[in-house]
Amino acid sequence: MDNWKKKIKRAVSLRYEPDKDRAPKVTAKGQGVIADKIIALAKENNIPIHEDPDLVEILSKLDLEEDIPPTVYVLVAEILAFVYRMNERWPGQAAENS
């Protein structure tokens, strides 16, 4: 692939508080340097990171604080289940092991 065709890195952050939120919400999104900062902050705070370019493509079209659409509930639920399992196995180290 030519350098000029190289895809720009993107990142989307989600928050889900079952007692507060109807569905997970987009809390941050960006590309390039902003995506790098989102990822760096997640790592610094031991927040698990899951790479899925197709999901990022969908979620990056949402507004900040917008609920994720029902069409991606199952995929996001699988990711949240993974995160919860990681947190139980390695509390405080989930970002390093994802």
Side-chain angles (χ1 to χ4, degrees):
M1 178 181 289
D2 294 336
N3 284 339
W4 64 273
K5 291 184 180 179
K6 186 177 177 183
K7 289 190 177 185
I8 296 172
K9 183 187 294 186
R10 292 183 181 186
V12 175
S13 170
L14 298 176
R15 177 193 76 223
Y16 180 58
E17 297 177 41
D19 296 337
K20 181 179 174 185
D21 301 323
R22 289 186 319 227
K25 295 181 181 295
V26 173
T27 56
K29 63 181 183 172
Q31 59 185 19
V33 174
I34 305 258
D36 290 337
K37 184 67 174 173
I38 291 167
I39 293 166
L41 285 169
K43 288 179 179 179
E44 288 172 19
N45 290 285
N46 293 318
I47 297 170
I49 298 169
H50 177 80
E51 293 186 37
D52 186 328
D54 294 330
L55 182 58
V56 169
E57 179 71 27
I58 293 166
L59 296 177
S60 66
K61 293 177 183 174
L62 301 175
D63 291 328
L64 294 179
E65 294 301 317
E66 185 174 349
D67 290 350
I68 64 164
T71 55
V72 294
Y73 279 2
V74 172
L75 183 54
V76 171
E78 290 172 2
I79 293 167
L80 289 173
F82 165 78
V83 168
Y84 292 139
R85 284 192 306 274
M86 294 296 290
N87 285 338
E88 289 175 2
R89 288 185 187 163
W90 298 287
Q93 297 179 3
E96 297 170 16
N97 295 304
S98 58

